[in-house]
Amino acid sequence: MAAAILAVFVMTFAMVFGNSAADPDLLQDICVADLTSATKVNGFACKDAANATAEDFFFAGLAKPGLTNNTFGSLVTAANVQKIPGLNTLGVSLARIDYAPGGINPPHTHPRATEIVFVLEGALNVGFITTANKLISKTISKGEVFVFPKGLVHFQKNNGKVPAAVIAGFNSQLQGTANIALTLFAATPPVADDVLTTTFQVGTKQIEKIKSRLAPKN
Ligand SMILES: *[C@@H]1O[C@H](CO)[C@@H](O)[C@H](O)[C@H]1NC(C)=O
Ligand SMILES: *[C@@H]1O[C@H](CO)[C@@H](O)[C@H](O)[C@H]1NC(C)=O
């Protein structure tokens, strides 16, 4: 009997918190982010609604391809609350991702959002890995859509001979990105070599080599 009550309690708990797994809902029509405010709430403080303008809800930055001449041959251009203050508390955002031939958006996770991509041009090998360590992957082409569930490690790679691009949608105003390689090998201060040698079952030289390749360039 106690076990049954506990089971009901656990299920109720899972339902309540399962339903509020995205960004919190808004409590007013608009809450244009005051990006300069020192007050940090769960999101950004609102500027005076009387001072809101169309510019607070506008962004032209996804119109053109981003520059992909970098280490990974890809560029994510975000259209999130940091670019569009009017998105504050609305729980959605977009990005454009461009890929050079051979370019990769390397394995990463978004702690706060599911991602859905629409291919603008080219073709991509995309995939995500479940917590049961199962790879779900596919090649997607212009006009097609693919989904990366919230929190799971995923990637996109352009194996074609021409550039590729997608528009990505997120159910968060600021999805957050943890790039697996960079979090482990390019953190400041650095993750200790012994953590990485034991984790990857290789020697210090190999770890140092990866760290030097991924070190921030400037
Ligand atoms: C709103 O705009 C008015 C007029 O420009 C200005 O005086 C006021 O300081 C602004 N309020 C905020 C909170 O920015
Ligand atoms: C990438 O290309 C742009 C435009 O051609 C150039 O200004 C920039 O310096 C290049 N960046 C790198 C890292 O080569």
Side-chain angles (χ1 to χ4, degrees):
M1 186 60 187
I5 291 169
L6 180 67
V8 169
F9 177 78
V10 168
M11 276 165 60
T12 307
F13 187 84
M15 279 162 62
V16 168
F17 287 89
N19 284 344
S20 61
D23 284 8
D25 215 348
L26 64 167
L27 301 175
Q28 60 272 305
D29 284 357
I30 62 172
C31 172
V32 176
D34 180 355
L35 297 173
T36 62
S37 171
T39 306
K40 293 297 171 221
V41 288
N42 191 17
F44 295 93
C46 316
K47 75 177 192 183
D48 190 342
N51 288 10
T53 70
E55 293 306 307
D56 292 323
F57 298 87
F58 174 80
F59 184 59
L62 301 192
K64 285 189 217 140
L67 289 176
T68 56
N69 54 345
N70 52 47
T71 304
F72 295 117
S74 78
L75 190 81
V76 179
T77 307
N80 58 31
V81 69
Q82 291 167 324
K83 304 282 183 64
I84 310 173
L87 277 181
N88 196 32
T89 74
L90 297 184
V92 296
S93 62
L94 293 178
R96 174 189 176 123
I97 314 171
D98 289 281
Y99 313 82
I104 188 170
N105 184 12
H108 62 279
T109 73
H110 302 300
R112 292 183 288 278
T114 288
E115 174 175 2
I116 180 165
V117 298
F118 172 83
V119 183
L120 290 176
E121 59 171 334
L124 293 160
N125 169 27
V126 303
F128 65 84
I129 300 111
T130 72
T131 58
N133 225 14
K134 179 183 166 97
L135 171 67
I136 309 271
S137 72
K138 190 171 172 63
T139 298
I140 58 171
S141 303
K142 181 171 179 168
E144 296 177 340
V145 165
F146 199 80
V147 173
F148 305 102
K150 180 174 178 173
L152 298 186
V153 174
H154 61 283
F155 59 86
Q156 302 103 28
K157 184 160 191 288
N158 179 6
N159 289 331
K161 292 188 166 63
V162 295
V166 303
I167 292 292
F170 302 94
N171 62 330
S172 171
Q173 66 178 29
L174 192 61
Q175 78 277 20
T177 298
N179 176 310
I180 307 301
L182 297 181
T183 55
L184 292 175
F185 293 95
T188 310
V191 176
D193 281 358
D194 69 289
V195 171
L196 298 171
T197 55
T198 313
T199 299
F200 289 100
Q201 299 288 295
V202 296
T204 305
K205 263 190 186 158
Q206 282 144 308
I207 295 299
E208 286 296 330
K209 186 171 179 181
I210 299 172
K211 279 185 172 176
S212 71
R213 293 272 169 89
L214 296 180
K217 289 188 179 68
N218 50 36

